[in-house]
Amino acid sequence: MFELTAGAVVFCVLVAAFFLALWLFYDRRDHRRFELERRKITFHCIRCDALYSAPTGPETRPCPKCGYSNGRLKF
Ligand SMILES: [Zn+2]
């Protein structure tokens, strides 16, 4: 009887650890994805008036429409 109870407890702990690991994995993954999305830099082309964004990186990016290199937009 004791063997069965101990086995059930071990099984429950293993299942709980499995779901905890899954939760942590997906939480961290979604957080990283959200941070990447949030940290996009917005640029405004002073030549053709286009607005575009790019992930974090250099301070200047060429415009996708006309190719003019613009500095980041500051608010
Ligand atoms: Zn442009």
Coordinates of all heavy atoms in Angstrom, one line a residue:
M1 N 0.8 -1.2 0.0 CA 0.0 0.0 0.0 C 0.9 1.3 0.0 O 0.6 2.2 -0.7 CB -0.9 0.0 1.2 CG -2.0 1.0 1.2 SD -3.2 0.7 -0.2 CE -3.9 2.4 -0.2
F2 N 1.9 1.2 0.8 CA 2.8 2.3 0.9 C 3.5 2.6 -0.4 O 3.7 3.7 -0.9 CB 3.8 2.1 2.0 CG 4.9 3.2 2.1 CD1 4.5 4.4 2.7 CD2 6.2 3.0 1.6 CE1 5.5 5.5 2.7 CE2 7.1 4.0 1.7 CZ 6.7 5.3 2.3
E3 N 3.9 1.5 -1.1 CA 4.6 1.6 -2.4 C 3.7 2.3 -3.4 O 4.2 3.1 -4.2 CB 4.9 0.1 -2.9 CG 6.0 -0.6 -2.2 CD 7.4 0.0 -2.5 OE1 7.7 0.2 -3.7 OE2 8.1 0.3 -1.6
L4 N 2.4 2.0 -3.4 CA 1.5 2.6 -4.4 C 1.4 4.1 -4.1 O 1.4 4.9 -5.0 CB 0.2 1.9 -4.3 CG -0.9 2.3 -5.3 CD1 -0.4 1.9 -6.7 CD2 -2.2 1.8 -5.0
T5 N 1.3 4.5 -2.8 CA 1.1 5.9 -2.5 C 2.4 6.7 -2.9 O 2.3 7.7 -3.4 CB 0.9 6.0 -1.0 OG1 -0.2 5.1 -0.6 CG2 0.5 7.4 -0.6
A6 N 3.6 6.1 -2.5 CA 4.8 6.8 -2.9 C 4.9 6.9 -4.4 O 5.4 8.0 -4.9 CB 6.0 6.0 -2.3
G7 N 4.6 5.9 -5.1 CA 4.6 5.9 -6.6 C 3.7 7.0 -7.1 O 4.1 7.8 -8.0
A8 N 2.5 7.1 -6.5 CA 1.5 8.2 -7.0 C 2.1 9.5 -6.7 O 1.9 10.5 -7.5 CB 0.2 7.9 -6.2
V9 N 2.7 9.7 -5.5 CA 3.3 11.0 -5.2 C 4.4 11.4 -6.1 O 4.5 12.5 -6.7 CB 3.8 11.0 -3.7 CG1 4.7 12.2 -3.4 CG2 2.6 11.0 -2.7
V10 N 5.3 10.4 -6.4 CA 6.4 10.7 -7.4 C 5.8 11.0 -8.7 O 6.3 11.9 -9.4 CB 7.3 9.4 -7.4 CG1 8.3 9.5 -8.6 CG2 8.1 9.3 -6.1
F11 N 4.8 10.3 -9.1 CA 4.2 10.5 -10.4 C 3.6 11.9 -10.5 O 3.8 12.6 -11.5 CB 3.1 9.5 -10.7 CG 2.4 9.7 -12.0 CD1 3.0 9.4 -13.2 CD2 1.1 10.2 -12.0 CE1 2.3 9.5 -14.4 CE2 0.4 10.3 -13.2 CZ 1.0 10.0 -14.4
C12 N 2.9 12.3 -9.4 CA 2.3 13.7 -9.4 C 3.3 14.7 -9.5 O 3.2 15.8 -10.2 CB 1.4 13.8 -8.1 SG -0.2 12.9 -8.3
V13 N 4.4 14.5 -8.7 CA 5.5 15.5 -8.7 C 6.1 15.6 -10.1 O 6.4 16.7 -10.6 CB 6.6 15.1 -7.6 CG1 7.8 15.9 -7.8 CG2 6.0 15.4 -6.2
L14 N 6.3 14.5 -10.8 CA 6.9 14.5 -12.1 C 6.0 15.2 -13.1 O 6.4 16.0 -13.9 CB 7.1 13.0 -12.6 CG 8.4 12.4 -12.0 CD1 8.4 10.9 -12.5 CD2 9.6 13.1 -12.5
V15 N 4.6 15.0 -13.0 CA 3.7 15.6 -13.9 C 3.7 17.1 -13.6 O 3.7 17.9 -14.6 CB 2.3 15.0 -13.7 CG1 1.2 15.9 -14.4 CG2 2.2 13.6 -14.3
A16 N 3.7 17.5 -12.3 CA 3.7 18.9 -12.0 C 5.0 19.6 -12.5 O 5.0 20.7 -13.0 CB 3.6 19.1 -10.5
A17 N 6.1 18.9 -12.4 CA 7.4 19.5 -12.8 C 7.4 19.6 -14.4 O 7.9 20.6 -14.9 CB 8.6 18.5 -12.4
F18 N 6.8 18.6 -15.0 CA 6.7 18.7 -16.5 C 5.9 19.9 -16.9 O 6.3 20.7 -17.8 CB 6.0 17.4 -17.0 CG 5.7 17.4 -18.5 CD1 6.7 17.3 -19.4 CD2 4.4 17.5 -18.9 CE1 6.4 17.3 -20.7 CE2 4.1 17.5 -20.3 CZ 5.1 17.4 -21.2
F19 N 4.7 20.1 -16.3 CA 3.9 21.3 -16.7 C 4.5 22.6 -16.3 O 4.4 23.6 -17.0 CB 2.5 21.2 -16.1 CG 1.6 20.2 -16.9 CD1 1.3 19.0 -16.4 CD2 1.1 20.6 -18.1 CE1 0.5 18.1 -17.1 CE2 0.3 19.8 -18.8 CZ 0.0 18.5 -18.4
L20 N 5.3 22.6 -15.2 CA 6.0 23.8 -14.8 C 7.1 24.1 -15.8 O 7.2 25.3 -16.1 CB 6.6 23.6 -13.4 CG 7.2 24.8 -12.7 CD1 6.1 25.8 -12.3 CD2 8.1 24.4 -11.6
A21 N 7.8 23.1 -16.2 CA 8.8 23.3 -17.2 C 8.2 23.9 -18.5 O 8.8 24.8 -19.2 CB 9.6 22.0 -17.5
L22 N 7.1 23.3 -18.9 CA 6.4 23.7 -20.2 C 6.0 25.2 -20.0 O 6.2 26.0 -20.9 CB 5.1 22.9 -20.4 CG 5.3 21.6 -21.3 CD1 3.9 21.0 -21.5 CD2 5.8 22.0 -22.6
W23 N 5.4 25.5 -18.9 CA 4.9 26.9 -18.6 C 6.1 27.9 -18.7 O 6.0 28.9 -19.3 CB 4.2 26.9 -17.3 CG 3.8 28.3 -16.8 CD1 3.0 29.2 -17.5 CD2 4.3 29.0 -15.6 NE1 2.9 30.3 -16.8 CE2 3.7 30.2 -15.6 CE3 5.1 28.6 -14.6 CZ2 3.9 31.1 -14.6 CZ3 5.3 29.5 -13.6 CH2 4.7 30.8 -13.6
L24 N 7.2 27.5 -18.0 CA 8.4 28.4 -18.0 C 8.9 28.6 -19.4 O 9.3 29.7 -19.8 CB 9.5 27.8 -17.1 CG 9.3 28.1 -15.6 CD1 10.3 27.3 -14.8 CD2 9.3 29.6 -15.3
F25 N 9.0 27.5 -20.2 CA 9.5 27.5 -21.5 C 8.7 28.5 -22.4 O 9.2 29.4 -23.0 CB 9.6 26.1 -22.1 CG 9.9 26.1 -23.6 CD1 11.2 26.3 -24.0 CD2 8.9 25.9 -24.5 CE1 11.5 26.3 -25.3 CE2 9.2 25.8 -25.9 CZ 10.5 26.1 -26.3
Y26 N 7.4 28.3 -22.4 CA 6.5 29.1 -23.3 C 6.5 30.6 -22.8 O 6.4 31.5 -23.6 CB 5.1 28.5 -23.4 CG 5.1 27.3 -24.3 CD1 5.0 26.0 -23.9 CD2 5.2 27.5 -25.7 CE1 5.0 25.0 -24.7 CE2 5.3 26.5 -26.6 CZ 5.1 25.2 -26.1 OH 5.2 24.2 -27.0
D27 N 6.5 30.8 -21.5 CA 6.5 32.1 -20.9 C 7.7 32.9 -21.3 O 7.6 34.0 -21.8 CB 6.4 32.0 -19.4 CG 6.1 33.4 -18.8 OD1 5.1 34.0 -19.1 OD2 6.9 33.9 -18.0
R28 N 8.8 32.3 -21.2 CA 10.1 32.9 -21.6 C 10.1 33.2 -23.1 O 10.6 34.2 -23.6 CB 11.3 32.1 -21.2 CG 11.5 32.1 -19.7 CD 12.6 31.1 -19.3 NE 13.9 31.5 -19.7 CZ 14.8 32.1 -18.9 NH1 14.5 32.2 -17.7 NH2 15.9 32.5 -19.3
R29 N 9.7 32.2 -23.9 CA 9.7 32.4 -25.4 C 8.8 33.5 -25.8 O 9.1 34.3 -26.6 CB 9.2 31.1 -26.0 CG 9.5 31.0 -27.5 CD 8.7 29.9 -28.1 NE 7.3 30.2 -28.1 CZ 6.3 29.5 -28.7 NH1 6.7 28.4 -29.3 NH2 5.1 29.8 -28.6
D30 N 7.5 33.6 -25.2 CA 6.6 34.7 -25.6 C 7.2 36.0 -25.1 O 7.0 37.0 -25.8 CB 5.2 34.4 -24.9 CG 4.5 33.2 -25.6 OD1 5.0 32.8 -26.6 OD2 3.5 32.8 -25.1
H31 N 7.8 36.0 -23.9 CA 8.4 37.3 -23.4 C 9.5 37.8 -24.4 O 9.5 39.0 -24.7 CB 8.9 37.1 -22.0 CG 9.5 38.3 -21.4 ND1 8.6 39.3 -20.9 CD2 10.7 38.7 -21.2 CE1 9.4 40.3 -20.5 NE2 10.6 39.9 -20.6
R32 N 10.3 36.9 -24.8 CA 11.4 37.3 -25.7 C 10.8 37.8 -27.1 O 11.3 38.8 -27.6 CB 12.3 36.1 -26.0 CG 13.7 36.4 -26.5 CD 14.6 35.2 -26.7 NE 14.6 34.4 -25.5 CZ 14.4 33.1 -25.5 NH1 14.0 32.4 -26.6 NH2 14.5 32.4 -24.4
R33 N 9.8 37.1 -27.6 CA 9.2 37.5 -28.8 C 8.5 38.9 -28.6 O 8.7 39.8 -29.5 CB 8.1 36.5 -29.2 CG 7.5 36.7 -30.6 CD 6.5 35.7 -30.9 NE 7.0 34.4 -31.1 CZ 6.3 33.3 -31.1 NH1 5.0 33.3 -31.0 NH2 6.9 32.1 -31.3
F34 N 7.9 39.1 -27.5 CA 7.2 40.4 -27.2 C 8.3 41.5 -27.1 O 8.1 42.6 -27.7 CB 6.4 40.3 -26.0 CG 5.8 41.6 -25.5 CD1 4.8 42.2 -26.2 CD2 6.4 42.3 -24.4 CE1 4.2 43.4 -25.8 CE2 5.8 43.5 -24.0 CZ 4.8 44.0 -24.7
E35 N 9.4 41.3 -26.5 CA 10.4 42.3 -26.3 C 11.0 42.6 -27.7 O 11.3 43.8 -28.0 CB 11.6 41.7 -25.4 CG 11.2 41.8 -24.0 CD 11.0 43.2 -23.4 OE1 12.0 44.0 -23.6 OE2 10.0 43.5 -22.9
L36 N 11.2 41.6 -28.6 CA 11.8 41.9 -29.9 C 10.8 42.8 -30.7 O 11.2 43.7 -31.4 CB 12.0 40.6 -30.7 CG 13.3 39.9 -30.4 CD1 13.3 38.6 -31.1 CD2 14.5 40.8 -30.9
E37 N 9.5 42.5 -30.5 CA 8.5 43.3 -31.2 C 8.4 44.7 -30.7 O 8.2 45.7 -31.4 CB 7.1 42.6 -31.0 CG 6.0 43.1 -31.9 CD 6.2 42.7 -33.4 OE1 6.8 41.6 -33.6 OE2 5.6 43.3 -34.3
R38 N 8.6 44.8 -29.4 CA 8.4 46.1 -28.7 C 9.6 47.0 -29.0 O 9.4 48.3 -29.1 CB 8.3 45.9 -27.2 CG 7.8 47.1 -26.4 CD 7.6 46.7 -25.0 NE 8.9 46.4 -24.3 CZ 9.6 47.3 -23.7 NH1 9.1 48.6 -23.6 NH2 10.7 47.0 -23.1
R39 N 10.8 46.5 -29.2 CA 12.0 47.3 -29.3 C 12.3 47.7 -30.8 O 13.4 47.9 -31.1 CB 13.2 46.5 -28.7 CG 13.1 46.4 -27.2 CD 14.3 46.0 -26.6 NE 14.1 45.9 -25.2 CZ 15.0 45.3 -24.4 NH1 16.1 44.8 -24.9 NH2 14.8 45.2 -23.1
K40 N 11.3 47.7 -31.6 CA 11.5 48.2 -32.9 C 11.7 49.7 -33.0 O 11.1 50.4 -32.2 CB 10.3 47.8 -33.8 CG 10.4 46.4 -34.4 CD 9.3 46.1 -35.4 CE 9.5 44.8 -36.0 NZ 8.3 44.3 -36.7
I41 N 12.6 50.1 -33.9 CA 12.9 51.5 -34.0 C 12.1 52.0 -35.2 O 12.0 51.4 -36.2 CB 14.4 51.7 -34.3 CG1 15.2 51.1 -33.1 CG2 14.7 53.2 -34.3 CD1 16.7 51.1 -33.4
T42 N 11.4 53.2 -35.0 CA 10.7 53.8 -36.1 C 11.5 54.8 -36.8 O 12.3 55.6 -36.2 CB 9.4 54.5 -35.5 OG1 8.7 53.5 -34.7 CG2 8.5 55.0 -36.6
F43 N 11.4 54.8 -38.1 CA 12.2 55.8 -38.9 C 11.2 56.6 -39.8 O 10.1 56.1 -40.1 CB 13.2 55.1 -39.9 CG 14.2 54.3 -39.2 CD1 14.1 53.0 -38.8 CD2 15.4 55.0 -38.8 CE1 15.1 52.3 -38.2 CE2 16.4 54.3 -38.2 CZ 16.3 53.0 -37.8
H44 N 11.5 57.8 -40.1 CA 10.7 58.6 -41.0 C 11.6 59.1 -42.1 O 12.6 59.8 -41.8 CB 10.1 59.8 -40.2 CG 9.4 60.7 -41.0 ND1 9.7 62.1 -41.1 CD2 8.3 60.6 -41.8 CE1 8.9 62.7 -42.0 NE2 8.0 61.8 -42.4
C45 N 11.2 58.9 -43.3 CA 12.0 59.3 -44.4 C 11.8 60.8 -44.7 O 10.6 61.2 -44.9 CB 11.7 58.5 -45.7 SG 12.7 58.9 -47.1
I46 N 12.8 61.6 -44.7 CA 12.7 63.0 -44.9 C 12.6 63.3 -46.4 O 12.3 64.4 -46.8 CB 13.8 63.8 -44.3 CG1 15.2 63.3 -44.7 CG2 13.7 63.7 -42.8 CD1 16.3 64.2 -44.3
R47 N 12.9 62.3 -47.3 CA 12.8 62.6 -48.7 C 11.4 62.2 -49.3 O 10.8 63.0 -50.0 CB 13.9 61.7 -49.4 CG 13.9 62.1 -50.9 CD 14.8 61.1 -51.7 NE 16.2 61.5 -51.7 CZ 17.1 60.7 -52.2 NH1 16.8 59.5 -52.8 NH2 18.4 61.1 -52.2
C48 N 10.8 61.0 -48.9 CA 9.6 60.6 -49.5 C 8.5 60.5 -48.5 O 7.4 60.1 -48.8 CB 9.7 59.3 -50.3 SG 10.0 57.9 -49.2
D49 N 8.7 60.9 -47.2 CA 7.7 61.0 -46.2 C 7.1 59.6 -45.8 O 6.0 59.5 -45.3 CB 6.6 62.0 -46.6 CG 5.8 62.5 -45.4 OD1 6.5 62.9 -44.4 OD2 4.6 62.7 -45.4
A50 N 7.9 58.6 -45.9 CA 7.4 57.3 -45.6 C 7.8 56.9 -44.1 O 8.8 57.4 -43.6 CB 8.0 56.2 -46.5
L51 N 6.9 56.2 -43.5 CA 7.2 55.7 -42.1 C 7.6 54.2 -42.2 O 6.8 53.5 -42.8 CB 6.0 55.9 -41.2 CG 5.9 57.3 -40.5 CD1 4.6 57.3 -39.8 CD2 7.0 57.5 -39.6
Y52 N 8.6 53.8 -41.6 CA 9.0 52.4 -41.6 C 9.7 52.1 -40.3 O 10.2 53.0 -39.6 CB 9.8 52.0 -42.8 CG 11.1 52.8 -42.9 CD1 12.3 52.2 -42.6 CD2 11.1 54.1 -43.5 CE1 13.5 52.9 -42.7 CE2 12.3 54.8 -43.6 CZ 13.5 54.2 -43.2 OH 14.6 54.9 -43.4
S53 N 9.7 50.8 -39.9 CA 10.3 50.4 -38.7 C 11.3 49.3 -38.9 O 11.2 48.5 -39.9 CB 9.3 49.9 -37.6 OG 8.6 48.8 -38.1
A54 N 12.3 49.1 -38.0 CA 13.3 48.1 -38.1 C 13.6 47.6 -36.7 O 13.5 48.4 -35.7 CB 14.5 48.6 -38.8
P55 N 14.0 46.4 -36.5 CA 14.5 45.9 -35.2 C 15.7 46.7 -34.8 O 16.3 47.4 -35.5 CB 14.7 44.4 -35.4 CG 14.9 44.2 -36.9 CD 14.1 45.3 -37.5
T56 N 16.0 46.5 -33.5 CA 17.1 47.2 -32.9 C 18.4 46.9 -33.7 O 18.7 45.8 -34.1 CB 17.4 46.8 -31.4 OG1 17.4 45.4 -31.4 CG2 16.3 47.3 -30.6
G57 N 19.2 48.0 -33.8 CA 20.4 47.8 -34.6 C 21.1 49.2 -34.8 O 21.1 50.0 -33.9
P58 N 21.5 49.5 -36.0 CA 22.2 50.7 -36.2 C 21.2 51.9 -36.2 O 20.0 51.7 -36.3 CB 22.7 50.6 -37.7 CG 21.9 49.5 -38.3 CD 21.5 48.6 -37.2
E59 N 21.7 53.1 -36.0 CA 20.9 54.3 -35.8 C 20.3 54.8 -37.1 O 19.4 55.6 -37.1 CB 21.8 55.4 -35.1 CG 22.1 55.1 -33.7 CD 20.9 55.3 -32.8 OE1 20.4 56.4 -32.7 OE2 20.4 54.3 -32.2
T60 N 20.9 54.4 -38.2 CA 20.4 54.8 -39.5 C 20.0 53.6 -40.3 O 20.6 52.5 -40.3 CB 21.4 55.6 -40.3 OG1 22.6 54.9 -40.5 CG2 21.7 56.9 -39.6
R61 N 18.9 53.7 -41.1 CA 18.4 52.7 -42.0 C 18.0 53.3 -43.3 O 17.3 54.3 -43.3 CB 17.2 52.0 -41.3 CG 17.5 50.9 -40.3 CD 18.2 49.7 -40.9 NE 18.7 48.8 -39.9 CZ 18.2 47.7 -39.6 NH1 17.2 47.2 -40.2 NH2 18.8 46.9 -38.7
P62 N 18.3 52.6 -44.4 CA 17.8 53.1 -45.7 C 16.3 52.9 -45.8 O 15.7 51.9 -45.4 CB 18.6 52.2 -46.7 CG 19.0 51.0 -46.0 CD 19.1 51.4 -44.5
C63 N 15.7 53.9 -46.5 CA 14.2 53.8 -46.7 C 13.9 52.7 -47.7 O 14.6 52.6 -48.7 CB 13.8 55.2 -47.3 SG 12.1 55.2 -47.8
P64 N 12.8 51.9 -47.4 CA 12.5 50.8 -48.4 C 11.9 51.3 -49.7 O 11.9 50.6 -50.7 CB 11.5 50.0 -47.6 CG 10.9 50.9 -46.6 CD 12.0 51.9 -46.2
K65 N 11.4 52.6 -49.7 CA 10.8 53.1 -50.9 C 11.9 53.8 -51.8 O 11.9 53.5 -53.0 CB 9.7 54.1 -50.6 CG 8.4 53.5 -50.2 CD 7.4 54.6 -50.0 CE 6.0 54.0 -49.6 NZ 5.1 55.1 -49.3
C66 N 12.7 54.7 -51.2 CA 13.6 55.4 -52.1 C 15.0 55.2 -51.8 O 15.9 55.6 -52.5 CB 13.3 56.9 -52.0 SG 13.6 57.6 -50.3
G67 N 15.3 54.5 -50.7 CA 16.7 54.1 -50.4 C 17.5 55.2 -49.7 O 18.7 55.0 -49.4
Y68 N 16.9 56.3 -49.3 CA 17.6 57.3 -48.6 C 17.8 56.9 -47.2 O 16.9 56.4 -46.5 CB 16.7 58.6 -48.7 CG 17.4 59.8 -48.0 CD1 18.4 60.5 -48.7 CD2 17.1 60.2 -46.8 CE1 19.0 61.6 -48.2 CE2 17.7 61.3 -46.2 CZ 18.7 62.0 -46.9 OH 19.3 63.1 -46.3
S69 N 19.0 57.1 -46.7 CA 19.3 56.7 -45.3 C 18.9 57.7 -44.3 O 19.3 58.9 -44.3 CB 20.8 56.5 -45.2 OG 21.1 55.8 -44.0
N70 N 18.0 57.3 -43.4 CA 17.4 58.2 -42.4 C 17.9 57.8 -41.0 O 18.1 56.7 -40.7 CB 15.9 58.1 -42.4 CG 15.3 58.6 -43.8 OD1 15.3 59.7 -44.1 ND2 14.9 57.6 -44.6
G71 N 17.9 58.8 -40.1 CA 18.2 58.6 -38.7 C 16.9 58.1 -38.0 O 15.8 58.3 -38.5
R72 N 17.1 57.6 -36.8 CA 15.9 57.1 -36.1 C 15.0 58.3 -35.6 O 15.5 59.4 -35.4 CB 16.3 56.3 -34.9 CG 17.0 57.0 -33.8 CD 17.4 56.1 -32.7 NE 16.2 55.6 -32.0 CZ 16.2 54.8 -31.0 NH1 17.4 54.3 -30.6 NH2 15.1 54.4 -30.4
L73 N 13.7 58.0 -35.5 CA 12.7 59.0 -35.1 C 12.8 59.1 -33.6 O 12.7 58.1 -32.9 CB 11.3 58.6 -35.6 CG 10.2 59.6 -35.6 CD1 10.6 60.7 -36.6 CD2 8.9 58.9 -36.0
K74 N 12.9 60.3 -33.2 CA 12.9 60.6 -31.7 C 11.6 61.3 -31.3 O 11.2 62.2 -31.9 CB 14.1 61.4 -31.3 CG 15.4 60.6 -31.5 CD 16.6 61.4 -31.0 CE 17.9 60.6 -31.0 NZ 18.3 60.4 -32.4
F75 N 11.1 60.8 -30.2 CA 9.8 61.4 -29.7 C 10.1 62.3 -28.5 O 11.0 62.1 -27.7 CB 8.8 60.3 -29.2 CG 8.4 59.4 -30.4 CD1 9.0 58.2 -30.5 CD2 7.5 59.8 -31.3 CE1 8.6 57.3 -31.6 CE2 7.1 59.0 -32.3 CZ 7.6 57.8 -32.5
Ligands
ZN1 ZN 12.1 57.4 -48.7

